Amino acid sequence: MRQHRAYEDMYLGEKAIWLEGGRYEAALLPDNGGNLIAFRDTESGYRFLREPEDEDGMNKFKARPFVYGIPVLFPPNRYKDGEFPWNGRTYHFPVNEAETGNHLHGFFTDIPWTVVEFGHTNSESFVTIANRIDEKHEVYRYFPHKFTIKLRYSISEDGLQQQVMIRNEGDDEMPCLLAFHTAINAPFAPGSTAKDCRVKVTIGERWELDERMLPTGKYQQLTAEEEQLRDTGIYPFGGEMDNHYRAAPQNGRNRMELTDTKQAVTLIYDVGVSFKHWMIWNNFGKEGFLCPEPQINLVNAPQVDLPADQIGLFSLKPGEIWEESGRLYVK
């Protein structure tokens, strides 16, 4: 078994912080959106996250960073006309999805993050990265609040742990919004196929979306297949999925399970109960990977006339902190 260590090296030509220990290894790209681009079981040959295959793949990653690894979405998903009305003011985000006329996926997927520290103990290796937003930061012109967002990843015999913290460092109240567009390989095991995979997610009702992929504020009844997705698991690519759901934790946990029936092993993505919504996207039904995306808030939340608790739109007062932790592991 390998000893735990954390070190700086390259990943397909980009600076990376590598974490190693036991059967696991992981790589984080601080200059490329703080993306945790790789999480692997080196003994079994499992690659749990979708990674670029080569340097040409890195160019594709840079063009669409939200379909590889674990990208940070802040604010997450879509906002009608790029407008974000909140607390008596309206923020204006760039319209970057021409086909819908919406803002999509926020400001953190491709900007650099600062490496705060990395290191190891006898039981884990870890890295902490952060982005501090103030008047000098490029994000401030769209989201004029002073705050720090911090991520800590660690690997141990219990898999990969993710800890996220947002602290309001300004003088006014700020909305708190976050998601992860996590790209999970299906299959993740060599020798298996997508047909060997079954995915289960702790979903509740499906949100009705309009032609611009924005919630109408109404729920839709789950189909029989979606009930299977919730209860027992389904083949991930039986049809296109680009669906938004209320999260409904089961047995106290909010998670995705991806089971490889051939290997008799299950990857669990436990995201924590602060994430009140799921977006599930399977790349138009093409076999290879899917994105179970845990979100704090409903898509376009500020423009949906529903109670804040229901749509997951909450705020941080000056000096307040929000934090949550999640884990990727196998059983």
Side-chain angles (χ1 to χ4, degrees), residues 92-153:
H92 295 279
F93 304 154
V95 173
N96 57 2
E97 189 180 47
E99 60 267 33
T100 65
N102 300 321
H103 172 77
L104 178 67
H105 290 337
F107 316 113
F108 285 86
T109 58
D110 58 0
I111 66 173
W113 289 61
T114 298
V115 177
V116 177
E117 64 174 344
F118 59 89
H120 69 275
T121 68
N122 290 334
S123 60
E124 69 169 8
S125 54
F126 63 88
V127 58
T128 300
I129 58 173
N131 240 302
R132 186 177 186 276
I133 310 304
D134 58 20
E135 297 94 337
K136 300 176 183 178
H137 199 286
E138 60 186 289
V139 168
Y140 190 86
R141 62 176 171 152
Y142 302 120
F143 195 80
H145 294 279
K146 296 179 182 179
F147 67 101
T148 291
I149 178 171
K150 186 181 292 185
L151 283 167
R152 184 184 191 271
Y153 286 101

Side-chain angles (χ1 to χ4, degrees), residues 229-245:
L229 173 65
R230 177 194 65 198
D231 298 335
T232 59
I234 61 170
Y235 164 59
F237 308 104
E240 287 191 30
M241 284 194 288
D242 195 358
N243 301 328
H244 198 26
Y245 301 94

Side-chain angles (χ1 to χ4, degrees), residues 280-292:
I280 301 178
W281 182 70
N282 68 350
N283 192 31
F284 311 103
K286 300 174 184 176
E287 292 185 344
F289 74 98
L290 72 153
C291 295

